[in-house]
Amino acid sequence: MKLSKSTIRIFGLCAFYLLYMFIGAAVFSSIEYPNEKQIIEKLKVKRHQFLQSHKRCLNDSELEMFITKIVRANNRGISTMNNLTVEPNWSFGQAVFFAGTVLTTIGYGHVSPLSTSGKLFCIFYAIIGIPITLIMISACVERLLIITNKLYDKLKTFSIFYRSNSTINLKALTYTHLALVFVFVLIVFFLLPATIFSSIEKEWNYLDALYYCFISLTTIGLGDYIPGDKNEQPYRAFYKIATTFYLIFGIMFVMLFISVLTQIPELNLAKLLSLEMETSSDPERQLLTSDAPTSSSYSRQIDEDDSLSINNMHSTRY
């Protein structure tokens, strides 16, 4: 049985994916393990010193039990700092932030439902809410693409993209358009928010804030940095709600950039793995394939010498 080209590419991609994952694991392990080991050694010293200074009223097993309870509470988002005089995790502002992280599948994990009824409601809430969120974001991205198409059409009027023989350089035009969308998303949803977060969160430097923006808007959601987690944060509820809307709009514009990127044929690597790329000996199927409309704005494969005359420029769709 002869394997198709797309199937061979899939096997190759899977092998590369596993290799990439193992390389990442090796790098993370080599970077983070020494730091983790150092922290563990310091904690052992602190623990020993604490037991020695309180050995008359506390033993090792009692301390272990107390630490276990604190860690379990902290893992559920319940802070034991300041004698437990902190704002509850389920105030309205905090709950809006939690709901937003569920619907966008970011899921930081720093706060989770504690009750059985809360867990059941979270399941049904996510089952309905996540598809609605995906549909809403997809619909908004589709309309935002109209604006980016207008930007593309505006760029066509710039003489810088025309050659001396009155033809337009489609490759330069396409990548300039992509670069403009990328710069807009980078500045508005990564660099500027990172500046704001680093100024509000006193314990974050700029890299921490930029890291948070990237981890959140790519929906990785590690949960190691959470805005507004300090109880003394002024206007904490408003801050949490504003951050929730930032996450929703940020994910939307990241998806917009990905959509613009994948509209360029040579950058859409998924097409190389598609069965539609395989040629068929069936003439009827070839006819249907050739006549089928395409959703890509870039309807032509752009080569180095690809050009479009001025007479045909208005008939070419972005």
Side-chain angles (χ1 to χ4, degrees):
M1 179 178 177
K2 185 178 179 180
L3 296 178
S4 63
K5 290 183 179 179
S6 63
T7 303
I8 295 174
R9 292 190 188 108
I10 289 176
F11 282 123
L13 178 62
C14 291
F16 174 77
Y17 183 81
L18 289 175
L19 177 62
Y20 189 77
M21 181 171 61
F22 292 148
I23 290 175
V27 173
F28 283 125
S29 178
S30 62
I31 294 175
E32 295 298 329
Y33 177 70
N35 186 48
E36 179 190 32
K37 188 176 181 180
Q38 184 179 12
I39 294 175
I40 290 175
E41 293 300 325
K42 289 181 178 179
L43 285 175
K44 287 181 178 179
V45 173
K46 289 287 185 180
R47 180 190 179 108
H48 178 73
Q49 291 175 347
F50 184 82
L51 283 173
Q52 290 298 315
S53 58
H54 299 84
K55 58 183 179 182
R56 294 183 179 179
C57 58
L58 186 67
N59 57 41
D60 187 75
S61 60
E62 292 173 338
L63 177 61
E64 182 70 22
M65 186 181 300
F66 180 67
I67 293 175
T68 300
K69 290 183 178 179
I70 291 178
V71 171
R72 285 178 179 174
N74 187 70
N75 290 338
R76 294 296 187 92
I78 301 175
S79 175
T80 57
M81 303 294 290
N82 299 321
N83 200 26
L84 294 174
T85 57
V86 296
E87 180 183 342
N89 286 322
W90 298 104
S91 62
F92 183 73
Q94 293 275 65
V96 169
F97 184 74
F98 172 78
T101 59
V102 170
L103 296 179
T104 56
T105 70
I106 297 175
Y108 292 120
H110 70 300
V111 173
S112 58
L114 302 178
S115 63
T116 301
S117 57
K119 293 174 183 178
L120 290 173
F121 176 74
C122 185
I123 293 173
F124 289 106
Y125 183 72
I127 288 175
I128 298 174
I130 291 175
I132 293 175
T133 304
L134 294 176
I135 293 171
M136 180 195 70
I137 291 178
S138 298
C140 291
V141 168
E142 184 179 1
R143 283 150 181 80
L144 289 171
L145 281 171
I146 298 175
I147 300 175
T148 63
N149 289 346
K150 290 181 179 179
L151 172 62
Y152 183 85
D153 292 334
K154 183 67 176 178
L155 290 174
K156 282 183 184 178
T157 63
F158 290 5
S159 60
I160 189 175
F161 297 111
Y162 288 88
R163 301 188 179 100
S164 57
N165 58 349
S166 299
T167 58
I168 188 171
N169 188 341
L170 274 181
K171 193 164 190 127
L173 176 63
T174 300
Y175 285 105
T176 300
H177 174 253
L178 177 66
L180 289 176
V181 176
F182 171 75
V183 169
F184 174 81
V185 174
L186 178 66
I187 293 176
V188 176
F189 292 97
F190 288 91
L191 301 183
L192 287 180
T195 302
I196 296 173
F197 281 125
S198 61
S199 63
I200 295 177
E201 302 290 338
K202 302 305 180 184
E203 296 183 0
W204 296 11
N205 57 38
Y206 186 79
L207 179 60
D208 294 334
L210 185 61
Y211 167 82
Y212 165 77
C213 294
F214 177 81
I215 292 297
S216 298
L217 298 188
T218 53
T219 68
I220 297 173
L222 295 178
D224 46 351
Y225 288 92
I226 307 295
D229 252 16
K230 298 296 181 183
N231 191 49
E232 63 273 10
Q233 178 71 53
Y235 307 106
R236 190 181 183 193
F238 174 78
Y239 181 36
K240 285 283 191 179
I241 295 174
T243 302
T244 303
F245 283 100
Y246 157 73
L247 295 175
I248 295 173
F249 282 101
I251 292 174
M252 187 182 302
F253 275 85
V254 169
M255 293 301 297
L256 172 66
F257 170 72
I258 294 175
S259 297
V260 174
L261 178 69
T262 55
Q263 285 179 350
I264 303 176
E266 60 265 38
L267 296 183
N268 190 355
L269 300 180
K271 284 189 174 182
L272 295 176
L273 307 176
S274 175
L275 291 175
E276 295 179 358
M277 295 294 293
E278 300 298 330
T279 57
S280 173
S281 58
D282 185 357
E284 184 178 354
R285 181 178 176 184
Q286 288 182 353
L287 179 62
L288 290 174
T289 303
S290 61
D291 291 342
T294 175
S295 61
S296 172
S297 297
Y298 301 103
S299 58
R300 299 176 60 185
Q301 179 69 32
I302 302 171
D303 299 317
E304 289 291 343
D305 58 345
D306 192 13
S307 62
L308 179 68
S309 64
I310 294 179
N311 295 330
N312 296 331
M313 188 180 74
H314 297 291
S315 62
T316 302
R317 181 64 180 154
Y318 164 76

